[in-house]
Amino acid sequence: MSFNLSDIFKFPGGVHPPEHKVESTTQPIRTLPLPKKLVLPLRQHIGHIPKILVQVGDHVLKGQLLAEAHGHVSAAVHASTSGKVTAIDEQVIPHPSGLPDLCITLEADGKDEWLKHAPLDYLNMERSELIRRIAESGIVGLGGATFPTHVKLRPDAKHPVSTLILNGAECEPYITCDDLLMRERADEIVHGAMIMQMLLGSTECLIGLEDNKPEAVVAMNAAVAKANFNAKVVVVPTLYPSGDSRRLIALLTGKESPAKGRTTEIGVQCFNVATAQSLYRFIAHGETIVSRIVTLTGNVAQPGNYDALLGTSVRDLLQAAGGIRDNTDDYVMGGPMMGFSLPSVDVPMTKAMNCVIASTPDLFPPPPMEMPCIRCVACADACPVNLQPQELYWYSKSSNLEKAQEYQLFDCIECGCCSYVCPSHIPLVQYYRYAKSETIAQERAKRSADLARIRNDERLARIEREKLERAKKHAERTAKSENSGDNNEKKAAIEAAMARAKEQKETITPQNVENVSANVAAEIAAVDAARVQAAEKPE
Amino acid sequence: MKFSPFFTTNTSVSIVMLKVLLALVPGIIAYVWAFGSGIVVSLILASATALLAEAAVLQLRNRPVMPFLLDGSALVTAWLLALALPPIAPWWLVVVGTLIAIVIAKHLYGGLGQNPFNPAMVAYAALLISFPVIMTQWPVPLELTTIKLSFIEQWQYIFNHVLPSGVGFDAMSSATPLDYLKTQLKMHHTMEDIHQAKFFGMFAGKGAEIVASMYLLGGLYLLHQRIISWHIPVAFLTTLAVISGVFHWVNPAHFSAPLFHLLGGATMLCAFFIATDPVSGATTPKGKLIFAAGIAVLTWLIRTYGGYPDGVAFAVLLMNILVPLIDANTQPRVFGHSK
Ligand code: SF4
Ligand code: SF4
């Protein structure tokens, strides 16, 4: 099972930020006490909002389905403890926009009573049935991407998957939840991977870890050997962002996923280790996803990893980590390279929340004054996508959005390497987020303008048609008495109207808005708000 | 509200520029050793002028003065210009040159990061065209002369044009080897004869070749510090060596040897400090290779056939013009794209 270092490939660029992982790895994973109240946002994943199945006042059990996956890409939400649904309303969620979103609030009854659940007889199940069941599990990518897992496990005849990759690289500084999970629950991860292997029909399984996690490597190797699973644990050099799935795939296979396509086009599917573990818990025990492991670190009294119920407020989390220490002025969700400041400490923990860093002005000092770009291309040397950040900056700053797109703005993964190395302290990524959101907002504005024109054309046509119809009806009425075809006509009209409405709705949604980072989504919200304000302003 | 990344490396424009200045120090020490302390006077003059001019222009342009003054870029420009000028040039030449570099070549184009041309080279070229005689008079290497001016005497000469009694200007100045070579070749002397002249050292100008080696040393430090990448120095020096090597091999009597080109004139200064100016140079890896090779070809052409003794300044400026074109056509393949 050993792997030669020479078998490891490379990706361009990358940086070595200080790791700060030791702080949170001295203690084993601890379990949080049951909170009194849990708030479950419906949108904890990429994709459509799920359909709510409960009402205020309902008593629910732990693991019970509260909202079911709705649409092609969507994920279910479950009760993370037993108790009463006390509210279904909009609340502030952990999103950089700080905007509220629909949430289900549970009041815990303190019993933490599970819904009856049983292992799935997955070996004797139709594959499609199994996928359908997994769609009910609520499992999404737990590395932070939160893409619904069952969608990635669906068989795709056009792009068969030959290589399954488990991502245990965890390259962001401070975050250690996957490290601890691999150390303590390696067996479950490996069994999850075996189930994935079976579902995908892949023939090879590679598990990628950075070389700063020797304990996890040992544990994973042991688990692979114990399970007699034909997988390779591959240790890659510590280099941010090796944990980005496309970078990791390149490291392990030497293949580049097409920029505009999916990784399956090169026969690879990649999952986070925690996702595999959750899948195992669901298949082997029937447990839907109700908790996750979160790293609490930075300016807290007891940094470490905590197994916490989804919906627990960040305030409760930090309390459990011994509370915050003096001077804390900000809470960062995710790592320092790609994370964002939480809008409030009262937001709930979601499936995406792998880490919360209590920060102080010393820990993350405000950046020094922004200087002009000196074209030193330190940024280009650091970019893992091989972009030219200094050009993107130039075009983003001057709002030359077309040029920015020509320089592949949308290939930027917002990893922050460029900002990290820039001697002029230019917040480059922030410029790209702005340019991306502005592009999307403009596209959307253009589409709705087109739509308005179409609507107007339709209205004129309708008026014309109605005039004709009235004339016709008038003529008919004079010929003979009324008949009862009216009802059908109405139905048809309603159907047509509905079809039209549906069509319109589809045209409004711009394509890439679903897959942008949370930070960009926040920017879009800001841009939209500004637009609304501008529109409301009297001339 | 702060945004990710929440921390950055401990670097700044000032640190980058400081390292460049540091890398020039060995060359300056060798310079003093070989030609006397006149260069120190020029460096001080240029630095003071540059800082004052920078501060004044920033004030006029309503920009924050201190952060930009401390970024060190004006000092780098000043030092490069001073090192390119003859060290026995009168004070006003240094001052005028520095003003041209800072006020016209840098700030009229928008200041730090905006100048399409290398400011030091703009100033150098302007001076060369305006004052060709002064610009081609270089001090005789100390090794070859009994006249050793003290720092004070240098100072007096530079400011008042007064030499100690009994010392004539001709005794302490001469043409540069590059210049001499060209005139002699025109007079149909062979290379071998020309190299007998006393100011030729092992490979190039006596003393100058030591200074050049020290620039090389400083350049290696910059490479090690990742302030510059290998592309420009390597492409520049290799191209220059190959092109001069081929011609030298074909007709050694008429064309100088590669080492003469590499260690002579401003070659090493150009390879590591001038052509590598990030602001006015090409940025893509392939672009840097083309940019530097272009400078080498032009340098060799001007040195061999042109009317000026050294071609580095004009070569750099000409290639500066092409930078946008080069960059646009040498974009590297983006990850996950087929080309
Ligand atoms: S690192 Fe900063 S200063 Fe250097 S080229 Fe990139 S954006 Fe410009
Ligand atoms: S943030 Fe974008 S441009 Fe900057 S290094 Fe990462 S991928 Fe490249």
Side-chain angles (χ1 to χ4, degrees), chain A residues 372-380 389-390 393 418 421-426 428:
Chain A
C373 168
I374 55 168
R375 306 201 345 130
C376 66
V377 289
C379 50
Q390 79 282 3
Y393 158 67
C418 50
V421 297
C422 176
S424 289
H425 311 294
I426 305 172
L428 294 164

Side-chain angles (χ1 to χ4, degrees), chain A residues 308-353:
Chain A
L309 296 179
L310 296 173
T312 309
S313 82
V314 169
R315 190 184 291 278
D316 288 346
L317 289 179
L318 293 167
Q319 207 56 49
I324 53 165
R325 286 186 296 201
D326 291 350
N327 265 339
T328 302
D329 68 336
D330 197 10
Y331 303 91
V332 175
M333 168 168 156
M337 295 298 285
M338 293 183 77
F340 56 87
S341 289
L342 285 173
S344 145
V345 72
D346 288 313
V347 294
M349 188 187 80
T350 57
K351 294 171 188 173
M353 195 179 283

Side-chain angles (χ1 to χ4, degrees), chain B residues 47-284:
Chain B
S47 304
T49 314
L51 291 178
L52 284 175
E54 179 98 355
V57 180
L58 286 169
Q59 192 81 52
L60 269 178
R61 293 180 57 209
N62 245 335
R63 308 298 295 271
V65 175
M66 262 347 239
F68 281 102
L69 211 54
L70 289 179
D71 72 28
S73 60
L75 279 183
V76 170
T77 301
W79 284 29
L80 290 177
L81 178 64
L83 290 172
L85 295 178
I88 46 173
W91 67 272
W92 54 264
L93 191 82
V94 180
V95 171
V96 170
T98 312
L99 288 176
I100 295 175
I102 300 292
V103 179
I104 297 178
K106 183 177 179 186
H107 280 284
L108 275 192
Y109 283 104
L112 180 67
Q114 311 292 313
N115 47 291
F117 297 104
N118 186 314
M121 290 303 101
V122 171
Y124 180 89
L127 293 178
L128 187 59
I129 293 168
S130 319
F131 313 103
V133 179
I134 311 177
M135 288 292 286
T136 43
Q137 282 165 342
W138 286 71
V140 178
L142 292 181
E143 235 182 291
L144 300 175
T145 169
T146 49
I147 306 160
K148 293 199 168 64
L149 299 189
S150 71
F151 184 71
I152 302 291
E153 284 165 342
Q154 295 260 16
W155 191 273
Q156 265 175 353
Y157 176 71
I158 291 170
F159 277 93
N160 306 322
H161 228 267
V162 178
L163 282 170
S165 57
V167 179
F169 182 72
D170 288 346
M172 51 165 277
S173 79
S174 77
T176 65
L178 270 173
D179 211 7
Y180 178 77
L181 187 89
K182 202 180 284 176
T183 3
Q184 293 295 306
L185 279 175
K186 279 209 191 99
M187 291 151 74
H188 300 289
H189 291 149
T190 66
M191 196 61 79
E192 220 166 303
D193 291 344
I194 299 171
H195 269 269
Q196 296 309 315
K198 60 183 163 94
F199 52 70
F200 278 92
M202 291 246 278
F203 310 108
K206 218 171 216 147
E209 54 192 21
I210 309 290
V211 178
S213 313
M214 289 297 123
Y215 287 148
L216 171 68
L217 196 72
L220 294 179
Y221 164 75
L222 289 184
L223 274 174
H224 173 258
Q225 292 290 306
R226 292 171 179 261
I227 301 290
I228 59 174
S229 72
W230 60 269
H231 302 83
I232 288 181
V234 168
F236 176 67
L237 296 176
T238 324
T239 311
L240 191 58
V242 167
I243 186 166
S244 57
V246 168
F247 279 86
H248 180 69
W249 178 67
V250 171
N251 186 354
H254 209 80
F255 295 99
S256 316
L259 272 173
F260 176 81
H261 276 285
L262 293 185
L263 292 173
T267 304
M268 284 299 166
L269 199 60
C270 176
F272 295 100
F273 297 92
I274 296 171
T276 49
D277 166 39
V279 176
S280 56
T283 51
T284 62

Side-chain angles (χ1 to χ4, degrees), chain A residues 418-437:
Chain A
C418 50
S419 304
Y420 180 72
V421 297
C422 176
S424 289
H425 311 294
I426 305 172
L428 294 164
V429 191
Q430 208 46 31
Y431 280 100
Y432 309 150
R433 288 179 188 134
Y434 157 78
K436 285 183 187 179
S437 58

